[in-house]
Amino acid sequence: MSTAFDAGNGKITVPDILNRKTGIRSSSSQDSHNFGSDRRKIVCLTAYDYPTARLVDEAGVDIVLVGDSLGMVVLGYENTLPLTVDEMLHHTRAVRRGVRRALLVADMPYGSFHEDKHEAVRNAVRFVKEAGAEAVKVEGGERRMDLIAQLVEAEIPVMGHIGLTPQSMHAFGGFRVQGKTVEAAEQLLRDARAVEAAGAFSVVLESIPRELAARITADLRIPTIGIGAGPECDGQILVLHDMIGLSLGHTPKFTRRYTNVGEAISQAVTAYAEDVRDARFPADEESYHLSSEVRERLLAPRRS
């Protein structure tokens, strides 16, 4: 399938996201109301399949992320670590079919960029070439500088990710708020500056104190995307399944539930099961019928 898109006509690009930080009008956009004329917050959501990708894109989000949270909320893994490149590619391709306007970013899963940097670049190229991603997300700060620079050199836009990086959960001792001490906060400041210096076009700040996120946001020239990092970030992202009540298990403090789709699904399935068992479904109007001629011939008594 084709992954080429017209940069005009409302399609959001990496320069558009960068300009939302600076407030400079994007040359690729023809709609001054939507781009670059103000410093509106950047709206990001995850998606993992065609229908939800199409829905969130048509609702007007700026960035759709195929996050490695896929492993937990869709595939049922205990954490993000088992997720493979092939699984991520499969779901990114599905999301690509549903996204026409938003910038599509794909997470690089654990193990896809931790060893040989040349292999990491090859994996990132697959997300762009085979799955239609327009950028990749890489977890880590200072230690990822060389990798981010190599990806940018290969003309692959990179979204950074610092703070609570789920792929480092074992090193952190679980899912814990990061940057709460002076030393930890200073390290995150260095991480953010390193990600920017390496050429990333934005950086996710996850589960860090609001005051620290505000300081990082003020220091950087690239947009910050918060998740559990307070309202001062340039944009916000949530896991869609957490936001709409489809996650099973713990919901993070920073998640606001806007609806409960999980409860609606459960109620619908319960009602369906009761209707089937009590022979109320399907009704006559939900059934197909023979024409009167065929019915008479088919059902007429057979002559001996």
Side-chain angles (χ1 to χ4, degrees):
M1 64 172 243
S2 172
T3 58
F5 295 92
D6 181 3
N9 196 29
K11 177 70 183 81
I12 296 176
T13 66
V14 166
D16 290 322
I17 297 300
L18 278 165
N19 291 340
R20 291 283 284 275
K21 174 80 172 192
T22 63
I24 299 172
R25 181 172 299 181
S26 167
S27 60
S28 69
S29 173
Q30 300 173 8
D31 188 346
S32 62
H33 174 72
N34 287 333
F35 296 98
S37 59
D38 57 31
R39 296 180 61 154
R40 291 175 304 123
K41 300 288 189 177
I42 300 165
V43 180
C44 313
L45 270 178
T46 62
Y48 315 104
D49 55 36
Y50 169 77
T52 53
R54 182 167 175 175
L55 288 170
V56 300
D57 185 60
E58 291 177 353
V61 303
D62 301 308
I63 298 175
V64 173
L65 171 68
V66 187
D68 61 0
S69 48
L70 156 72
M72 300 174 70
V73 301
V74 174
L75 300 182
Y77 297 139
E78 290 187 3
N79 52 58
T80 66
L81 302 183
L83 195 64
T84 68
V85 170
D86 286 339
E87 287 170 330
M88 281 294 301
L89 287 169
H90 172 83
H91 286 268
T92 303
R93 282 192 289 265
V95 171
R96 172 75 282 166
R97 298 179 194 115
V99 173
R100 308 306 298 177
R101 175 183 172 274
L103 181 74
L104 178 58
V105 182
D107 242 332
M108 293 194 67
Y110 180 72
S112 67
F113 59 93
H114 294 75
E115 297 180 10
D116 180 73
K117 289 186 176 62
H118 297 292
E119 179 65 21
V121 173
R122 284 192 290 270
N123 286 331
V125 167
R126 292 189 68 191
F127 280 103
V128 176
K129 190 177 181 68
E130 298 178 26
E134 295 159 305
V136 297
K137 183 168 76 63
V138 175
E139 292 188 7
E142 284 186 315
R143 66 185 183 277
R144 302 293 180 226
M145 281 191 73
D146 290 345
L147 171 61
I148 292 172
Q150 281 190 275
L151 293 174
V152 172
E153 179 67 20
E155 300 180 313
I156 300 173
V158 177
M159 174 182 282
H161 185 163
I162 64 172
L164 172 57
T165 47
Q167 294 174 13
S168 305
M169 60 168 292
H170 292 316
F172 291 154
F175 295 102
R176 303 176 184 275
V177 176
Q178 301 297 304
K180 296 176 71 174
T181 67
V182 171
E183 294 77 11
E186 289 176 343
Q187 179 59 59
L188 284 177
L189 282 165
R190 290 193 296 271
D191 285 337
R193 292 164 184 154
V195 167
E196 177 182 71
F201 73 92
S202 62
V203 59
V204 172
L205 308 180
E206 180 168 357
S207 295
I208 69 174
R210 172 180 179 175
E211 299 82 359
L212 177 57
R215 168 70 186 279
I216 292 173
T217 299
D219 280 2
L220 296 187
R221 298 182 304 276
I222 62 174
T224 58
I225 310 297
I227 178 167
E232 283 78 22
C233 297
D234 297 301
Q236 298 291 331
I237 186 167
L238 283 176
V239 172
L240 178 68
H241 287 55
D242 291 343
M243 189 190 79
I244 63 174
L246 269 181
S247 296
L248 304 177
H250 174 69
T251 300
K253 172 185 177 179
F254 53 74
T255 295
R256 179 180 296 180
R257 181 164 291 178
Y258 285 83
T259 189
N260 198 331
V261 173
E263 183 177 307
I265 290 174
S266 180
Q267 291 174 351
V269 173
T270 298
Y272 164 72
E274 291 175 352
D275 284 349
V276 169
R277 292 181 182 119
D278 294 339
R280 293 192 300 265
F281 176 84
D284 185 67
E285 60 269 21
E286 294 156 333
S287 305
Y288 298 104
H289 295 279
L290 295 170
S291 68
S292 57
E293 179 183 354
V294 173
R295 184 171 62 248
E296 289 175 4
R297 292 184 61 182
L298 184 66
L299 301 180
R302 292 177 179 267
R303 294 180 180 178
S304 57

